[in-house]
């Protein structure tokens, strides 16, 4: 340590909110260069390499072969797949000296597809699985939590190529099992959840989430084993209701009721029900947003949902991707005078309406359901407005928030909500990219067929932070053995010549035994207290102290995680630590 490139810090970085960010910076693993852009220092690189090793071993074990693409990529293939436009502001675009457009790769489907197209032409060449561990670039809107969400980060991405659907299914399962082994070895608690496939397109898709309070992803699970990313949850749709005999709709004066709460209070006062009080769930609220298309156009969208639920931004975004969601502002209202703020009803919405604004409703708005909703007149609502009789929408959208206690779509019980960090994502892409980029091979019958693909990602740099997110205590990091930057943190405690010599000998012996040792040989001016503090902060799993007991042939072995201390005969140290 007297020469190791490391400075630990006493204070948390000012911009850090989550434990992994604070600790990785304070303990000298990473340093910030710019928002979402970090340098890896010697300690950090060692942990990163261990994550990479686990990922490599498990990818190799399923027969995937490692390649490496450039990060700097030409525009054309992204143009062909449509993603040059779809990525919008989320990627880094650069020009070369001749003015050619290039992209810093956010993910590499196009290029793997083209490489295989370049070299392979027969079903006999397949199945094939290729992977890389590589730096990716995304101009994230909210880089956050240090290396958890970077704008430059390291990903393992792999791609499978098959002729038939069953082949894709098998490749997907092989990846899924490899991921289970990877995340078991990384050692964090994780869940596998159903996911939407987002900007990638394709069908079946699952995410591996590290369970963490600080995670950005909300997922749900049921007692019966249903688990899904909140974006992928589908609403249990109530039965539709026969229209016969339903009362006619009637507009009423409801002055001063622009919010759901004020409306419900007014309804209970002025129009009390016989059976029970009015509830927010009896109202249909209509929320307007603007969708920013990848080409820059802004298009309005209206969402009709029960008044007791909010629009969930992530669910909405997942369903309108690649468009981005922006607020519907005063100028937008001014451009649509038929919209009466606080009293907007289905009458002014829909592609056939005066505004022509696309109107999508929550799946609970089934035919025959009755609502209190805006009458498109200041201070007035309509009661008993029946879906399918008095209004129709342009379709449904899964944009309403999911709540604890909502039923799981597969009937497996009430949902509970929890938070996680997305660590891996596996997709059955199908023929989307192969079609776009014309990747075909000759099948068994000599017929040209389009290849079917899978795409699979692991957040390698994110994993370092995700592990740190749970592997810490008040004093610092507490690495699991397989990921720790060193096996042993050896401290010389004392200036006595015999002690120093004994520690130096232990250093050599432990290294000779194949153990990777961080030796705190810093001279006497660094106090023992500082040495112990640093050892706890850095988080190597075993701390060995050569000090007072050395005169009696003893050294202290401390377990960083449990704090348990033990005196061990110096002659038995190597055997003790190897076991
Ligand atoms: P997220 O929802 O967290 O933005 P994503 O769905 O966009 O991730 P994928 O395209 O599925 O990510 O990428 C595969 C993996 O790469 C993710 O599961 C995640 O572990 C990792 N990853 C994605 N974006 C980042 C980032 N900005 N910083 C670090 N790791 C990332
Ligand atoms: Mg993902």
């Amino acid at each position: 340590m007297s020469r190791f490139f490391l400075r630990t810090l006493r204070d948390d970085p000012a911009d850090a909110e989550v434990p992994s960010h604070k600790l990785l910076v304070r303990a000298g693993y990473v340093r910030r260069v710019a928002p979402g852009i970090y340098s890896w220092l010697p300690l950090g690189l060692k942990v990163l390499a261990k994550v990479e090793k686990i990922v490599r071993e498990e990818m190799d074990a399923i027969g995937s072969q490692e390649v490496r693409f450039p990060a700097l990529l030409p525009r054309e293939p992204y143009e062909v797949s449509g993603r040059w436009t779809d990525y919008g502001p989320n990627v880094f675009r650069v020009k070369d000296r001749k003015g050619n457009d290039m992209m810093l790769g956010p993910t590499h489907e196009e290029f793997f597809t083209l490489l295989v197209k370049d070299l392979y032409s027969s079903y006999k060449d397949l199945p094939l699985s290729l992977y890389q561990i590589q730096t990716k670039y995304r101009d994230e809107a909210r880089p956050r939590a240090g290396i958890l969400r970077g704008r430059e980060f390291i990903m393992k991405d792999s791609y499978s190529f098959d002729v038939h659907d069953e082949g894709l299914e098998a490749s997907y399962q092989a990846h899924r099992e490899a991921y289970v082994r990877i995340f078991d070895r990384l050692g964090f608690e994780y869940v596998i959840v159903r996911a939407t496939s987002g900007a990638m397109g394709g069908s079946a898709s699952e995410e591996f989430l590290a369970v963490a309070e600080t995670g950005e992803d909300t997922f749900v699970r049921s007692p019966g084993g249903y688990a899904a990313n909140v974006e992928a949850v589908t609403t249990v749709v109530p039965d539709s209701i026969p229209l016969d005999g339903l009362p006619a709709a009637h507009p009423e004066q409801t002055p001063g009721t622009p919010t759901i709460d004020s409306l419900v209070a007014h309804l209970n006062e002025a129009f009390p029900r016989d059976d029970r009080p009015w509830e927010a769930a009896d109202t249909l609220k209509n929320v307007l947003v603007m969708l920013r298309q990848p080409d820059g156009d802004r298009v309005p969208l209206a969402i009709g949902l029960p008044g007791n639920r909010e629009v969930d931004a992530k669910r909405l975004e997942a369903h309108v991707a690649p468009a981005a969601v922006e607020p519907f502002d005063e100028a937008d209202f001014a451009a649509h005078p038929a919209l009466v703020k606080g009293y907007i009803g289905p009458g002014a919405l829909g592609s056939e309406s005066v505004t022509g604004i696309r109107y999508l409703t929550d799946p609970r708005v089934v035919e025959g359901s009755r609502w209190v909703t805006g009458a498109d007149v200041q201070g007035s609502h309509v009661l008993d407005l029946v879906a399918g009789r008095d209004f129709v929408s342009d379709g449904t959208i899964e944009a309403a928030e999911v709540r604890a206690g909502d039923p799981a779509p597969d009937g497996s019980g009430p949902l509970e909500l929890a938070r996680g960090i997305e660590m891996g994502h596996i997709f059955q892409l199908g023929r989307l990219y192969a079609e776009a980029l014309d990747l075909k091979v000759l099948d068994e019958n000599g017929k040209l067929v389009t290849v079917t693909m899978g795409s699979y990602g692991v957040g390698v740099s994110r994993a370092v932070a995700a592990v740190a997110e749970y592997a810490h205590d008040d004093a610092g990091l507490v690495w699991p053995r397989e990921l720790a930057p060193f096996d042993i943190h050896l401290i010389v405690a004392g200036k006595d010549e015999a002690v120093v010599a004994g520690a130096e000998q232990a250093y050599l012996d432990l290294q000779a035994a194949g153990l990777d040792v961080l030796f705190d040989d810093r001279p006497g001016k660094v106090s023992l207290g500082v040495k112990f503090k640093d050892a706890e902060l850095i988080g190597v799993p075993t701390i060995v102290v050569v000090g007072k007991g050395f005169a009696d042939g003893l050294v202290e072995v401390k377990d960083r995680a449990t704090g348990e201390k033990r005196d061990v005969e110096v002659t038995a140290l190597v055997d003790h630590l190897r076991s």
Side-chain angles (χ1 to χ4, degrees), residues 181-192:
R181 287 188 292 269
I182 289 169
F183 294 117
D184 282 349
R185 285 176 69 181
L186 289 176
F188 39 59
E189 188 196 346
Y190 65 92
V191 287
I192 306 175

Side-chain angles (χ1 to χ4, degrees), residues 138 140 148-150 153 155 200 422-425 457 459 462:
R138 295 182 183 178
E140 298 277 356
L148 268 183
R149 179 172 300 283
F153 60 97
M155 195 203 289
M200 298 286 182
E422 183 187 323
M423 295 312 309
H425 198 165
R462 177 177 286 184

Side-chain angles (χ1 to χ4, degrees), residues 378-394:
Q378 188 67 35
S380 174
H381 281 87
V382 193
L383 278 66
D384 295 318
L385 195 77
V386 172
R389 182 191 70 183
D390 304 324
F391 71 97
V392 287
S393 66
D394 297 313

